[in-house]
Amino acid sequence: MKPNRRSFLKNVTAASALLATESIAKPFHIIKDLKKISPNDKIRFATIGMGIQGHSDTKAALRSSQDVEFVAAADLYDGRLTRVKELYGKDIFTTRDYRQILERKDIDAVLVVTPDHWHDHITKAALQAGKNVYCEKPMVHHINEGLSVIDAWKKSGKTMQVGSQRISSASFKEAKRLFQAGEIGEINYVESNNDRFNAIGAWNYSIPTDASPSTVDWDTYLGDAPKRAFDAKRFFRWRNYQDYGTGVGGDLFVHLITGVHFVTNSLGPERVMSSGELSYWKDGRDVPDVLVSILDYPKTDIHANFQMVLRVNFANAGAIANNTRIIGTEGQIEFTENNLVLTKKKLPKAPGMGGYDSFNTFSEAQQKEFKKQYDAQYPDDTRRAEPVKEVKFEAPKEDDAHANHFRDFFENVKKGSVGTVEDPVFGFRAAAPVLACNESYFSKKIVHWDPVAMKMKKK
């Protein structure tokens, strides 16, 4: 029976508010982990949201360990529930109502792979129900939702992982090792881009011919988004709309920022500004397809201040080379999910003279005097730079970042540990800057952020 939307949202909202207030009253450090799972038991998990990423996550979770079992799935489109049984077996429990999954005592973990506007609601309800949670990026739809999710996680004592899986790749781990070893000196600049030029890459996904109010639970889908008549595009291509998604920021910038935070151990920027436009995909979407954001990171005890520039261009008909470059005073690390190049380059101590230089404009007498002083100050060995060094790293062919990310999650579930590689604090510190990028774009203003307190600052 289809749940009543009004009572459904009322229950979810009330549960979320209760979690937020109770967790403030009960600090994290006094909460004990809940029951650990026996090493001999399989972790039984369910996926809530069986769209493209839901299927991808489910398959990666199954690849990650022989000690996991996929037992249930929820989705608001009937055709996807049928597809689950076709792919994974008729015994998989399927439902439109994710609350039926949370009520089951035999399910240890849930994968929250819904449109962004449902992330915080389902995550908090799942934690309250005693489930371990893997929540897709970005962790929240709005920047003011992050702290309540963190509070719910702390109160529950359960394992929670945010799903930006690239940081579990061998290449990202090597980038982190090199950076932490000081191989590029002091960081000063980062640039990262993720361009595309195809319709599916621009989120114009296929829409089934039977999409209708009878096969899709449209009222529940809307959730806390504005009420409107059924629109199949808004359901199957939800990333194109602010009401349900977070645009290129929440889909792609979040990966780029997560990677840089993982490598540098940064807590986040303090100032964010964006510029862009809807350039090519003028198909009714209300988010930009070209976006450039500049993020200013403050100096901390573990890294120098630096600037990060992010770019997404969904209309790039030219050469596409999606990568991240972390640049420092002694070199750079350029990396993707699969490979890495470290280039080391140090300047000589002597600044040089002659050539395109004001030295040649001096009088002959002054040139002689200057050269005498220069020779005395800079002997020959200070005038030669060290040869440029290049170190290449290729990830092993068997490296599977997606499965690695889930393996970390499930291993911590078994231990009853909250210490995942991308816990909700880390996840929100990556999500908040991308949501600030969107805020800057739409408001045409600079956004000021406190990366330590994880709150907006007024200026």
Side-chain angles (χ1 to χ4, degrees):
M1 181 169 61
K2 187 167 81 172
N4 178 277
R5 177 174 176 266
R6 186 181 299 276
S7 62
F8 183 77
L9 285 176
K10 183 178 179 181
N11 292 339
V12 170
T13 304
S16 299
L18 179 63
L19 282 168
T21 53
E22 284 190 353
S23 59
I24 292 171
K26 188 178 289 186
F28 191 28
H29 68 273
I30 66 171
I31 294 174
K32 297 179 180 178
D33 289 342
L34 301 183
K35 179 179 74 70
K36 297 180 182 179
I37 294 174
S38 166
N40 298 319
D41 293 339
K42 283 200 171 187
I43 299 172
R44 293 165 61 85
F45 76 89
T47 303
I48 300 172
M50 289 302 302
I52 302 168
Q53 193 62 33
H55 278 278
S56 179
D57 279 354
T58 300
K59 292 173 183 176
L62 291 170
R63 290 198 308 272
S64 72
S65 173
Q66 295 182 340
D67 296 330
V68 301
E69 183 181 0
F70 177 45
V71 298
D75 199 274
L76 298 177
Y77 167 52
D78 293 342
R80 286 177 175 160
L81 300 180
T82 300
R83 185 59 173 159
V84 166
K85 289 184 178 292
E86 290 174 349
L87 289 176
Y88 301 100
K90 60 182 177 59
D91 293 333
I92 301 291
F93 173 75
T94 60
T95 177
R96 279 185 172 188
D97 187 349
Y98 77 85
R99 294 173 300 177
Q100 293 183 357
I101 286 175
L102 302 188
E103 290 167 357
R104 290 183 52 158
K105 303 300 182 184
D106 62 336
I107 292 176
D108 304 300
V110 295
L111 281 50
V112 180
V113 204
T114 63
D116 300 344
H117 72 305
W118 270 106
H119 282 186
D120 69 315
H121 294 301
I122 297 178
T123 292
K124 288 187 284 189
L127 291 168
Q128 186 183 46
K131 307 303 182 189
N132 302 285
V133 175
Y134 182 102
C135 178
E136 262 302 326
K137 54 76 189 168
M139 189 178 81
V140 292
H141 188 219
H142 298 112
I143 206 164
N144 61 2
E145 297 164 350
L147 293 181
S148 67
V149 172
I150 291 170
D151 286 341
W153 166 62
K154 290 180 177 180
K155 178 179 182 294
S156 74
K158 305 303 291 185
T159 304
M160 182 172 167
Q161 176 96 298
V162 178
S164 187
Q165 69 273 1
R166 297 180 190 180
I167 63 172
S168 291
S169 69
S171 179
F172 276 55
K173 291 175 184 176
E174 178 66 6
K176 183 181 182 75
R177 186 189 72 79
L178 293 170
F179 180 85
Q180 299 298 335
E183 292 287 353
I184 63 169
E186 281 201 341
I187 185 174
N188 53 51
Y189 181 76
V190 176
E191 64 179 20
S192 191
N193 55 280
N194 200 320
D195 293 347
R196 295 176 178 176
F197 193 53
N198 62 83
I200 291 178
W203 310 322
N204 281 344
Y205 304 131
S206 301
I207 297 175
T209 58
D210 68 347
S212 71
S214 64
T215 60
V216 173
D217 187 348
W218 177 250
D219 282 347
T220 296
Y221 169 76
L222 288 177
D224 57 6
K227 188 170 178 60
R228 62 172 64 239
F230 175 76
D231 185 338
K233 285 185 177 180
R234 284 180 169 263
F235 185 87
F236 290 95
R237 298 175 179 175
W238 57 267
R239 293 191 188 278
N240 290 331
Y241 306 97
Q242 297 175 58
D243 287 344
Y244 329 108
T246 47
V248 295
D251 188 36
L252 299 174
F253 277 6
V254 69
H255 281 306
L256 309 181
I257 288 179
T258 299
V260 172
H261 286 192
F262 174 73
V263 171
T264 64
N265 286 336
S266 175
L267 300 182
E270 61 182 2
R271 194 170 71 145
V272 178
M273 61 208 86
S274 297
S275 178
E277 63 180 354
L278 182 55
S279 172
Y280 186 89
W281 300 101
K282 298 178 181 180
D283 49 14
R285 70 182 64 198
D286 59 13
V287 292
D289 55 10
V290 174
L291 188 66
V292 176
S293 296
I294 300 173
L295 300 85
D296 292 337
Y297 282 70
K299 177 179 173 58
T300 70
D301 292 339
I302 56 176
H303 63 68
N305 58 293
F306 65 94
Q307 184 182 81
M308 178 154 64
V309 177
L310 304 176
R311 187 195 77 233
V312 166
N313 182 359
F314 275 3
N316 185 353
I320 294 178
N322 293 330
N323 58 14
T324 297
R325 292 200 307 145
I326 300 180
I327 300 168
T329 55
E330 297 180 10
Q332 74 167 25
I333 301 170
E334 182 174 356
F335 60 104
T336 67
E337 187 175 328
N338 301 313
N339 57 66
L340 174 153
V341 178
L342 166 68
T343 305
K344 292 181 66 67
K345 182 179 181 181
K346 294 177 68 174
L347 292 174
K349 184 178 179 181
M353 58 174 284
Y356 190 78
D357 180 26
S358 59
F359 172 82
N360 298 307
T361 68
F362 301 167
S363 66
E364 287 189 11
Q366 180 57 42
Q367 286 185 17
K368 290 179 181 178
E369 183 61 29
F370 182 89
K371 190 172 184 311
K372 178 180 178 182
Q373 183 184 72
Y374 187 92
D375 290 342
Q377 186 175 357
Y378 299 110
D380 286 344
D381 61 348
T382 67
R383 304 182 194 186
R384 294 187 296 273
E386 294 181 10
V388 175
K389 299 176 183 177
E390 187 175 273
V391 178
K392 294 184 178 181
F393 173 85
E394 293 281 344
K397 290 183 179 179
E398 66 274 12
D399 187 52
D400 185 338
H402 207 163
N404 294 344
H405 210 57
F406 272 104
R407 188 174 301 112
D408 178 74
F409 172 61
F410 289 127
E411 286 176 352
N412 280 284
V413 169
K414 277 218 165 191
K415 293 185 295 185
S417 166
V418 297
T420 62
V421 69
E422 192 177 359
D423 66 27
V425 173
F426 187 108
F428 183 49
R429 283 195 162 118
V434 305
L435 298 175
C437 289
N438 287 342
E439 173 66 21
S440 175
Y441 170 79
F442 288 109
S443 69
K444 301 186 185 302
K445 295 179 180 178
I446 294 173
V447 174
H448 299 272
W449 176 251
D450 183 336
V452 178
M454 295 180 285
K455 293 181 178 179
M456 298 275 279
K457 293 191 296 187
K458 294 181 180 180
K459 285 287 183 178

